[in-house]
Amino acid sequence: VTGSGKSFTAGYLIELLSKVPYVGREWRGKVALPAIVIDANEDYLDYALSFHRKEWDTAYRNVYVFISYRSPIPMKYPELKPPSLKTISIDLDAFTPREVAELVIVYYSGGTLNELQAAGLELVLKELKEEEELRFSEVFTSYTDYLIEKLRKRSTGQEALIHAQTARAIERAIHKFSEEIVESQRVVSSEPTISPEFIDEITSNPSLVIIDFSADGCPMMPLGVKQLIVAYLAKLLYNKFTEYKMSGDERYLMFMIEEAQNYCPNLSTYPIGYSLAREYISLIATQGRKFGLILGIITQRPSFVDPIVLSMMGTSIIHRVSPEDVSFIKRATGGLPKVLESRLTTLRTGTAVISGQMNHLGFPVLVEVKGRKIPHTMGKTEVMKGLSKPYSSLG
């Protein structure tokens, strides 16, 4: 639950993994596990600031922060500069015609997939890609009118393969997607900042990457757009690590997702609508480890997370939870001792139960999380100091 210490613990875990002692035959020193963090509430920006102020003793070669083009962060923190500070942009060509069609239609409907509309748009997108050799990012940034023209041809005359009413709905969906995601949010690009080459860079030069989805990092960005970015990133990571494995290139990365219920929801208990990201996160959860791709999910409500994803988690670090989640956690962990189970709803902040593969003792244990070396200042409030300002200004 909120305030139990889960983000604090996740930060401490990053610190541990950022400076791991290594002793080999030819070299000894510190190594770091590359990591990408989906940061919902600016809980990890302190790491980027400390790194670029040279205040963090770490084996990371760089710490990158990704933000929206609207973000005030460049003005608030001048020490964060390009190329370590980047604007989020993705390439739709990471997806198949069917996946792009589903994305556009679901975004238009607000969560419902209309099969006729998706099939119609898929047909047109396939033709543009195969016959016209256009890339999807180009279609939605520069050739939207051509896409609409092609759609209308397929719904009229002898070439009609799409019902006219369905085509009109698809056209409205295309306009909404183009206006809100491409034009307003500007996250689609033919030269994306989140690219296969970037994954090569952060894994060959171990780095921490923070995707800042906070109110400062991505102001006024709808959840649907964030889901698109996470889906793209999850698919990109899975494809790259499959490629590394097949070529014999041994690489590792931790993909950590805050507010995981928004990206891999259990739709029976948390009906936020269709999520494209859910399928790819599930793929990483079930198969990623054998490729060196490690998934970490952080959530206030584990019962809201997709049960397939949750069942694949090898280790659980359990902070204070709501009573509604206790039975779910018991099932997910395979059971807890009664003495620990009875304390799940009353654990103190910073206290956690560790169960699973990380715990070599063979039974769940209660732990106190050590203090982070990098202060957790984002979101910190000082109520009395704030309330005293009007009085102190009077002298």
Side-chain angles (χ1 to χ4, degrees), residues 120-121 123-125 127 131 147-164 167 170:
L121 181 54
L123 171 68
V124 179
L125 289 173
E127 291 180 353
E131 297 172 13
L147 172 61
I148 299 294
E149 181 186 330
K150 196 84 170 173
L151 175 66
R152 289 173 178 171
K153 281 184 179 179
R154 282 301 185 186
S155 63
T156 56
Q158 295 182 345
E159 293 185 19
L161 293 174
I162 305 170
H163 191 277
I170 296 172

Side-chain angles (χ1 to χ4, degrees), residues 140-151:
F140 285 95
T141 53
S142 304
Y143 293 94
T144 309
D145 291 340
Y146 188 50
L147 172 61
I148 299 294
E149 181 186 330
K150 196 84 170 173
L151 175 66

Side-chain angles (χ1 to χ4, degrees), residues 260-261 264-266 269 278 281-282 284-286 289 295-318 325-334 355:
Q261 72 277 1
C264 47
N266 180 353
T269 57
R278 178 167 154 258
I281 293 171
S282 179
I284 291 175
T286 53
R289 273 175 292 185
L295 179 66
I297 59 172
I298 306 165
T299 179
Q300 296 177 24
R301 295 298 309 272
S303 61
F304 287 178
V305 177
D306 180 78
I308 295 175
V309 172
L310 206 64
S311 68
M312 291 294 107
M313 295 295 102
T315 297
S316 299
I317 303 176
I318 309 160
D325 281 315
V326 172
S327 60
F328 188 84
I329 285 172
K330 285 166 55 181
R331 294 195 304 272
T333 59
S355 172

Side-chain angles (χ1 to χ4, degrees), residues 3 16 21 26-27 70 117 125 162 169 182 192 231 248 265 295-296 326 373:
L16 294 176
E26 300 177 354
W27 179 83
R70 290 192 176 114
Q117 293 172 16
L125 289 173
I162 305 170
V182 179
L295 179 66
V326 172
K373 289 185 173 59

Side-chain angles (χ1 to χ4, degrees), residues 149-201:
E149 181 186 330
K150 196 84 170 173
L151 175 66
R152 289 173 178 171
K153 281 184 179 179
R154 282 301 185 186
S155 63
T156 56
Q158 295 182 345
E159 293 185 19
L161 293 174
I162 305 170
H163 191 277
Q165 186 174 347
T166 302
R168 286 194 290 272
I170 296 172
E171 188 170 334
R172 291 193 294 271
I174 292 169
H175 281 304
K176 181 178 180 181
F177 185 85
S178 296
E179 289 170 7
E180 296 184 11
I181 289 187
V182 179
E183 295 175 18
S184 177
Q185 296 298 328
R186 301 183 191 176
V187 297
V188 176
S189 172
S190 296
E191 297 181 355
T193 52
I194 306 175
S195 65
E197 294 75 22
F198 181 69
I199 304 303
D200 290 336
E201 167 63 23

Side-chain angles (χ1 to χ4, degrees), residues 3-35:
S4 63
K6 60 188 183 302
S7 297
F8 186 94
T9 297
Y12 179 57
L13 180 61
I14 288 173
E15 289 183 5
L16 294 176
L17 296 173
S18 78
K19 194 179 178 184
V20 182
Y22 172 78
V23 178
R25 292 182 179 179
E26 300 177 354
W27 179 83
R28 65 174 57 196
K30 305 288 186 180
V31 298
L33 177 70

